[in-house]
Amino acid sequence: MTIEMQDTDLSNDKKIWATLITNSRYVPGVITLDYSLKKANSKYRLVAMYTEQLDLESLKALTCRHIAIRKIHQLKPPTESPELSNDPRFRDCWSKLYIFKLVQFQRIVELDSDMVVMQNMDELMDIPLDSHTVFASTPACVCNPFKLSHYPSDWIPSNCSFTQYHEKKRLSLDPQDSYWQYKGPHASMGLKKCNGGLIVIEPNLDNYNEILAVLGDPTRTALYQFPDQELLADVFEGRWLCLSYVYNSLKTFTQCHPDLWDINRVKNIHFIITPKPWQVRRGDFDDPTGTFVYWWDVNDERIALEKKIGIVDGFSIPV
């Protein structure tokens, strides 16, 4: 008999952070992400959206740390895109789009589990989305700093929204906008791509049905190399708000956009690509970006606190 965990009662939660987890390899990321949000004194809790692929021990590791859980249905196209053969880790990313269906919430800010929050960013729960704006996100960095051969040929620095970022922001935003500091250059700049690591939405069934319609069309999904974010940028082109880079600062910024890397301004670091900080050991890994130390420090702090309150398991071991 299969034993299932009971979902957390979220009936009183109107605004939440959410992260998708489908396998045990990302449990350390979710746990440390949750700790970093709490450390930053967020008023809102993180909800781990999990699919049936996640094992019971992983769920126990989350709930014993008072991380809210909510089971969702796995989303995927009827035919797997051949474009994902180079990045099989993206195969589960379609399920991130399920949050558009969760109309019990007024707002959801979805975060990838390979992130660490450095400063409070609760303002994302209040930044207005008008009737024509389906979601808010940051642009995708299309510099391809690691020169990955399977990335699109037009992914070059001159096409990147983060290149000459401040000038682009000056040209596309009204400095009298009361939310100016929270926004980035207009979403029409660059290749018009968003980064799916951070998505701000107000759940809506009409938008969800638009997503499902495309998800069920293999002639379209077969073209997506970066599943969820490409679908969103395609279906809702011109209908998303570009946020400031501080909310989704990629680890690669230290190399390809050093003018944007100011740890005193960065609110959230995103450890894209592999390896993840919990997959390598401090002292053994030569981190070319110089960013892993921020995750390691928060993780060490988490482990020290957990030991004081008696939480000791396989996720309580320093990396």
Side-chain angles (χ1 to χ4, degrees):
M1 182 176 67
T2 301
I3 301 176
E4 294 193 1
M5 296 287 289
Q6 184 174 358
D7 282 354
T8 306
D9 180 6
L10 301 170
S11 58
N12 293 324
D13 293 77
K14 298 305 178 185
K15 298 178 180 182
I16 62 168
W17 307 102
T19 192
L20 173 69
I21 181 166
T22 61
N23 62 73
S24 61
R25 295 191 301 275
Y26 279 80
V27 171
V30 174
I31 292 172
T32 301
L33 172 62
D34 176 74
Y35 179 79
S36 71
L37 281 165
K38 292 170 178 173
K39 177 180 169 69
N41 297 313
S42 176
K43 295 187 297 184
Y44 309 96
R45 60 174 157 177
L46 177 70
V47 180
M49 303 284 179
Y50 70 97
T51 61
E52 61 184 10
Q53 302 132 283
L54 190 64
D55 62 282
L56 184 60
E57 290 306 310
S58 294
L59 286 170
K60 288 180 177 178
L62 298 177
T63 55
C64 81
R65 292 169 171 84
H66 304 289
I67 299 174
I69 59 172
R70 207 292 192 174
K71 189 174 184 179
I72 64 171
H73 295 297
Q74 182 183 19
L75 293 181
K76 59 181 180 180
T79 304
E80 183 174 301
S81 169
E83 294 291 343
L84 300 187
S85 59
N86 291 301
D87 285 305
R89 70 187 188 278
F90 289 152
R91 288 172 179 154
D92 290 333
C93 287
W94 301 109
S95 296
K96 290 164 62 177
L97 301 171
Y98 191 86
I99 61 169
F100 282 83
K101 186 180 182 180
L102 302 179
V103 293
Q104 72 187 87
F105 302 107
Q106 292 177 358
R107 179 161 294 200
I108 299 176
V109 181
E110 188 166 52
L111 304 171
D112 276 0
S113 56
D114 57 347
M115 290 178 158
V116 66
V117 175
M118 304 301 294
Q119 298 183 43
N120 185 288
M121 51 184 192
D122 283 1
E123 62 269 16
L124 292 178
M125 296 294 180
D126 298 311
I127 186 171
L129 303 180
D130 62 35
S131 59
H132 301 292
T133 304
V134 175
F135 68 93
S137 180
T138 55
C141 176
V142 299
C143 289
N144 191 14
F146 297 129
K147 310 302 180 189
L148 299 177
S149 60
H150 62 282
Y151 275 27
S153 59
D154 59 356
W155 278 45
I156 54 177
S158 60
N159 286 335
C160 186
S161 292
F162 295 110
T163 300
Q164 297 182 322
Y165 175 90
H166 297 294
E167 178 64 9
K168 289 174 180 173
K169 182 171 178 175
R170 186 185 68 81
L171 292 173
S172 61
L173 287 183
D174 179 357
Q176 302 304 314
D177 184 338
S178 57
Y179 291 91
W180 184 89
Q181 64 178 316
Y182 306 140
K183 297 180 181 180
H186 197 274
S188 63
M189 292 191 166
L191 297 182
K192 305 178 185 179
K193 305 292 186 182
C194 62
N195 183 292
L198 184 147
I199 300 288
V200 180
I201 72 159
E202 294 174 351
N204 178 291
L205 291 181
D206 289 337
N207 294 334
Y208 182 67
N209 288 331
E210 282 193 66
I211 290 169
L212 288 185
V214 175
L215 191 62
D217 182 355
T219 64
R220 295 181 72 172
T221 57
L223 303 176
Y224 299 147
Q225 192 168 344
F226 307 95
D228 55 305
Q229 66 185 44
E230 280 203 85
L231 185 149
L232 289 175
D234 179 18
V235 177
F236 302 116
E237 181 178 350
R239 298 167 62 190
W240 63 279
L241 173 69
C242 186
L243 296 172
S244 169
Y245 72 93
V246 301
Y247 298 113
N248 189 359
S249 290
L250 312 185
K251 70 178 187 182
T252 49
F253 280 1
T254 61
Q255 298 170 300
C256 56
H257 297 291
D259 58 310
L260 299 182
W261 189 263
D262 179 353
I263 196 58
N264 294 315
R265 290 181 53 80
V266 166
K267 292 199 169 191
N268 180 34
I269 304 174
H270 189 180
F271 297 93
I272 59 170
I273 316 180
T274 54
K276 305 303 181 185
W278 59 89
Q279 295 172 332
V280 291
R281 299 187 69 85
R282 190 197 294 256
D284 294 339
F285 177 65
D286 182 17
D287 170 24
T289 70
T291 61
F292 280 41
V293 64
Y294 299 109
W295 191 95
W296 289 331
D297 284 350
V298 173
N299 187 59
D300 287 351
E301 183 180 310
R302 167 188 71 82
I303 291 171
L305 179 61
E306 287 179 356
K307 286 183 177 180
K308 287 182 179 179
I309 61 178
I311 299 177
V312 180
D313 57 19
F315 304 104
S316 306
I317 303 171
V319 296

